[in-house]
């Protein structure tokens, strides 16, 4: 089950509503025939759920997200489900290192990882040797990967745009 909800939305009502929705998915995942519930964690951007915000890569941003994930993972466990975190280069969980830190801090069997390599690439790391990032993610998170999916990606060909020349939303920047 995919429940891509923004757990760190700056509007408290929106954030609380998203967390409530995730808890409902976790509670009923087994009823729907699936024990895994996947979600990216979100961004502090107030206008778009897939757009970068400077707070996403800060210690304060991570610390604000951590108790939310701890709560959701415990809630998943209480309902026989497993929460799978999916990274996104524009979100708080934006890198292999950040995800590794989350696993160390949460350390719970009801949390797993979705391997989606395209979500780990940024303008800075896609050019030189994209296979290095993929190998690093597989080596570092291999025992946490419970689900994987992939899509093609490429760096935008223009310098004035963050998006490739395709009809895509902010999530494909």
């Amino acid at each position: 089950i995919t429940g891509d909800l923004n757990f760190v939305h700056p509007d408290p009502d929106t954030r609380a509503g998203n967390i409530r929705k995730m808890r409902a998915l976790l509670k009923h995942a087994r009823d729907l025939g699936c024990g895994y519930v996947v979600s990216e964690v979100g961004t502090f951007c107030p206008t778009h759920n897939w757009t970068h915000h400077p707070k996403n890569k800060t210690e304060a941003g991570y610390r604000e997200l951590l108790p939310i994930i701890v709560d959701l993972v415990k809630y998943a466990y209480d309902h026989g489900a497993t929460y799978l975190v999916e990274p996104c280069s524009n979100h708080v969980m934006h890198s292999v290192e950040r995800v590794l830190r989350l696993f160390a801090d949460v350390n719970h069997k009801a949390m797993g990882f979705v391997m989606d390599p395209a979500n780990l690439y940024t303008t800075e790391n896609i050019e030189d040797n994209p296979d290095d990032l993929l190998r690093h993610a597989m080596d570092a998170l291999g025992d946490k990967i419970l689900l994987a999916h992939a899509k093609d990606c490429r760096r935008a060909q223009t310098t004035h745009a963050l998006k490739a020349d395709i009809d895509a939303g902010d999530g494909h920047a």
Side-chain angles (χ1 to χ4, degrees), residues 16 36 46-47 91 108 112:
Y36 294 159
T47 56
H91 288 178
H108 200 289

Side-chain angles (χ1 to χ4, degrees), residues 41-109:
V41 299
T43 174
F44 288 95
C45 179
T47 56
H48 297 97
N49 284 339
W50 309 108
T51 301
H52 174 72
H53 186 276
K55 187 174 179 181
N56 293 348
K57 294 187 178 180
T58 66
E59 179 66 18
Y62 177 82
R63 287 280 165 209
E64 197 167 325
L65 172 68
L66 183 59
I68 296 166
I69 298 299
V70 167
D71 175 68
L72 291 173
V73 169
K74 288 179 181 176
Y75 193 82
Y77 179 79
D78 290 344
H79 291 88
T82 302
Y83 170 72
L84 303 184
V85 64
E86 182 174 353
C88 177
S89 61
N90 287 337
H91 288 178
V92 178
M93 285 297 115
H94 58 271
S95 67
V96 172
E97 288 68 32
R98 183 61 70 94
V99 173
L100 285 170
R101 181 177 176 193
L102 183 69
F103 274 98
D105 289 345
V106 176
N107 192 25
H108 200 289
K109 65 182 181 180

